[in-house]
Amino acid sequence: MDRVDEILAQWNRERPDLDVTSMGLIGRIRRLAAHLGREMEKTFAAHGLNSATFDVLATLRRSGPPYGLSPGDLLAAMMITSGTLTNRIDQLEKAGLVKRNHNPEDGRSVIVSLTDKGFSAIDAAVTAHAATQARLVASLPAADKAALDALLRGYLARFENPA
Amino acid sequence: MDRVDEILAQWNRERPDLDVTSMGLIGRIRRLAAHLGREMEKTFAAHGLNSATFDVLATLRRSGPPYGLSPGDLLAAMMITSGTLTNRIDQLEKAGLVKRNHNPEDGRSVIVSLTDKGFSAIDAAVTAHAATQARLVASLPAADKAALDALLRGYLARFENPA
DNA sequence: TCCCGATATCTTGACGTCAAGATAATACAA
DNA sequence: TTGTATTATCTTGACGTCAAGATATCGGGA
């Protein structure tokens, strides 16, 4: 009987006509995401970042040399809107972690690249981030972890692999 | 090979020293939460609400008669800060869906109650919401759904049942 | 009775996000 | 070559959230 179960029990009492069997599953996914996000945010803050700016730097870093992508490329890799991305890049540029360069082949386009400072920052942050993530799942038995990951992958595919 | 796997593959190429085995699990939970949240938001919007205001109304509704709780009670049931709750109640009061009453037994305290309009609104919204949630998990085989829910419950307990 | 710590709620200011639309450059058909 | 649709990015305004602190009330000890 966890907090989600309590919520379901209340609904069953007040609105017995409702089928809330799906509510528990979805509620648990969302509560877990919130808990995990808050923990990870602490690691980002310790490196002068937040999840928004980390996300941009990490995408550039893992894209490999020369560590530059257009805003359009970045958008395709993230679950955000274009206005949000512009704001993130502005913040990072102001902090000297990325720079914008004109794309000589297309006047509409821009290439956002990691600066040396940005490269150092994201490399240190992602190292700590991986450790935080390992800690956040450490309490989960290996078998549960594997089973959970497999089930989530199948579920997620229904949203991201239209077919 | 979903999008999360692509991210892990990039990290393995660029930072083979990192152990990213936990990153996939956490990433999938968070991406799922985002997808689910956006879908549910559409249902709330169709009823003139959003997830923030729905959350307050739903908590009051499922608390049962007389459909009134103090901000403190509401806070305990939600994963938000007090300032956020004050703002939510303000919005709902402005819309005529809840009302604040002084608590005669404690001058510091307030009782937030559903108005008739608020009661009608949340009853209609939650009916639609339950249908949306059912649709969002409909593609999942019943066995997977049960297994996933059980694993998530165990994982969530590590964050919400300190012991 | 009086005072002070605890409690309940609200206020303030900054920030991240989004939807919708603006701006500018490119591509391609006529 | 010209004009229009398309593409890439940015701007604007509104909103929800948070952390930190302010305000007001309560409760218990001196």
Side-chain angles (χ1 to χ4, degrees):
Chain A
M1 189 74 172
D2 62 7
R3 295 199 191 175
V4 174
D5 282 327
E6 288 172 22
I7 291 172
L8 300 187
Q10 285 189 307
W11 279 125
N12 271 323
R13 177 159 40 75
E14 291 295 321
R15 286 291 304 273
D17 60 304
L18 287 182
D19 174 10
V20 293
T21 53
S22 305
M23 194 180 280
L25 174 60
I26 292 176
R28 291 190 173 96
I29 290 173
R30 286 169 58 74
R31 289 182 80 96
L32 264 172
H35 285 295
L36 294 168
R38 286 181 192 181
E39 283 301 313
M40 298 190 302
E41 201 77 39
K42 295 176 190 169
T43 301
F44 300 146
H47 290 260
L49 300 172
N50 58 27
S51 62
T53 47
F54 176 91
D55 201 14
V56 174
L57 295 181
T59 302
L60 291 172
R61 175 63 182 84
R62 70 176 188 260
S63 74
Y67 309 113
L69 295 171
S70 70
D73 294 334
L74 286 167
L75 266 184
M78 301 176 173
M79 298 175 71
I80 58 174
T81 61
S82 66
T84 299
L85 179 60
T86 297
N87 181 46
R88 291 185 180 186
I89 297 171
D90 288 348
Q91 301 303 318
L92 287 166
E93 196 170 33
K94 212 172 299 177
L97 301 176
V98 307
K99 57 181 188 296
R100 283 182 169 99
N101 288 309
H102 294 288
N103 182 344
E105 297 176 0
D106 187 336
R108 295 167 299 181
S109 185
V110 168
I111 300 294
V112 180
S113 304
L114 288 179
T115 62
D116 289 347
K117 185 178 171 188
F119 187 95
S120 303
I122 187 57
D123 254 32
V126 77
T127 300
H129 178 55
T132 295
Q133 289 185 314
R135 175 175 62 76
L136 288 172
V137 301
S139 64
L140 218 49
D144 285 6
K145 187 175 161 185
L148 186 52
D149 194 44
L151 287 164
L152 290 169
R153 175 205 301 266
Y155 191 17
L156 186 58
R158 292 155 205 272
F159 291 95
E160 301 193 341
N161 299 339
Chain B
M1 187 74 171
D2 63 6
R3 294 199 192 175
V4 174
D5 282 328
E6 288 172 20
I7 291 172
L8 300 187
Q10 285 188 307
W11 279 126
N12 271 325
R13 178 157 40 74
E14 291 296 319
R15 286 290 304 273
D17 59 306
L18 287 183
D19 174 10
V20 293
T21 53
S22 305
M23 193 180 281
L25 174 60
I26 293 176
R28 289 188 174 98
I29 290 173
R30 286 169 58 75
R31 290 181 79 97
L32 265 171
H35 286 295
L36 294 168
R38 285 181 192 181
E39 283 301 312
M40 298 190 302
E41 201 78 40
K42 294 177 191 168
T43 301
F44 300 145
H47 290 260
L49 301 172
N50 59 28
S51 61
T53 49
F54 176 91
D55 201 15
V56 175
L57 295 180
T59 302
L60 292 172
R61 175 63 183 86
R62 70 174 189 262
S63 74
Y67 310 113
L69 295 171
S70 70
D73 294 334
L74 287 168
L75 266 185
M78 302 176 172
M79 298 175 71
I80 59 175
T81 61
S82 65
T84 299
L85 179 59
T86 296
N87 181 46
R88 290 185 182 187
I89 296 171
D90 287 347
Q91 302 301 319
L92 287 166
E93 197 170 34
K94 213 171 298 178
L97 300 176
V98 307
K99 58 180 188 297
R100 281 182 170 100
N101 288 309
H102 293 290
N103 181 344
E105 298 176 359
D106 188 334
R108 296 167 299 181
S109 184
V110 168
I111 302 293
V112 180
S113 306
L114 287 179
T115 62
D116 290 347
K117 185 178 171 189
F119 188 94
S120 304
I122 188 56
D123 254 32
V126 77
T127 300
H129 178 55
T132 295
Q133 289 186 314
R135 173 174 63 75
L136 287 172
V137 302
S139 64
L140 218 49
D144 285 6
K145 188 175 160 186
L148 186 53
D149 194 45
L151 287 165
L152 289 169
R153 175 205 301 267
Y155 191 15
L156 186 57
R158 292 156 205 272
F159 292 96
E160 301 194 342
N161 298 339

